Amino acid sequence: MRTRLLLAGGFCTGIAALLHVGIILGGPDWYRFFGAGERMARLAARGSAYPTIITAGIAAILCIWTLYALSGARVIRQLPFLRLGLTLIAAIYLARGLLGIPLVLVAEDPYANQLKSRMTFMVVSSVICVILGLCYACGATEVGRRASRPPPSTGCR
């Protein structure tokens, strides 16, 4: 069950990575729609490299997170620091999911003000992040359980 949750989390994270590539290709309207803010949309409209670099960086991080999910689910070879990686990914997703709305509500910043007017986006994205965080947390738990079990005996001495 935990492996399936981790696979689902990895699949969704992979979709999010591809979506970020789509945002780069989609341009200013996509930056606006997906919550990047008016500043990023305007920079993209002017041809600035900044939105592309930031969004490509996010896509790359999400790709790495997808690989960690696949590794934890034993679809690909074990990556270094697997349990730690899954735990940190879970913590980041959970922090975004649980703290995103409260931080937006108390922050006095032009971007936070834009997000306050898009509370549906904030709620949906926060729920998604909490679910993904729980998927990765379950995966980290499973990897920890596997590591604490003795290897199966082959009967050879």
Side-chain angles (χ1 to χ4, degrees):
M1 178 63 173
R2 286 184 169 93
T3 301
R4 286 185 184 166
L5 287 173
L6 188 55
L7 276 174
F11 176 78
C12 292
T13 301
I15 297 289
L18 292 173
L19 189 58
H20 279 78
V21 172
I23 290 168
I24 294 169
L25 299 173
D29 289 337
W30 282 49
Y31 280 96
R32 283 184 191 95
F33 180 80
F34 287 102
E38 191 57 34
R39 179 176 174 265
M40 289 285 274
R42 286 184 183 158
L43 288 170
R46 286 192 296 226
S48 170
Y50 180 78
T52 300
I53 291 167
I54 296 299
T55 308
I58 293 168
I61 290 167
L62 293 172
C63 282
I64 292 167
W65 290 5
T66 300
L67 292 174
Y68 268 84
L70 294 174
S71 179
R74 294 181 168 172
V75 173
I76 63 172
R77 71 175 187 83
Q78 184 169 329
L79 295 176
F81 308 108
L82 180 60
R83 184 175 181 196
L84 175 63
L86 293 173
T87 301
L88 290 174
I89 294 165
I92 292 166
Y93 269 132
L94 289 169
R96 164 51 184 90
L98 297 173
L99 300 176
I101 292 173
L103 289 175
V104 163
L105 292 175
V106 300
E108 286 303 323
D109 173 82
Y111 180 56
N113 291 336
Q114 288 175 27
L115 291 175
K116 284 176 192 169
S117 68
R118 300 194 61 213
M119 209 38 70
T120 300
F121 168 80
M122 287 302 298
V123 169
V124 170
S125 62
S126 293
V127 168
I128 290 169
C129 285
V130 167
I131 291 168
L132 290 174
L134 293 173
C135 289
Y136 278 84
C138 287
T141 301
E142 178 61 26
V143 168
R145 285 185 180 169
R146 276 188 252 151
S148 66
R149 287 187 208 134
S153 175
T154 60
C156 299
R157 291 189 185 217

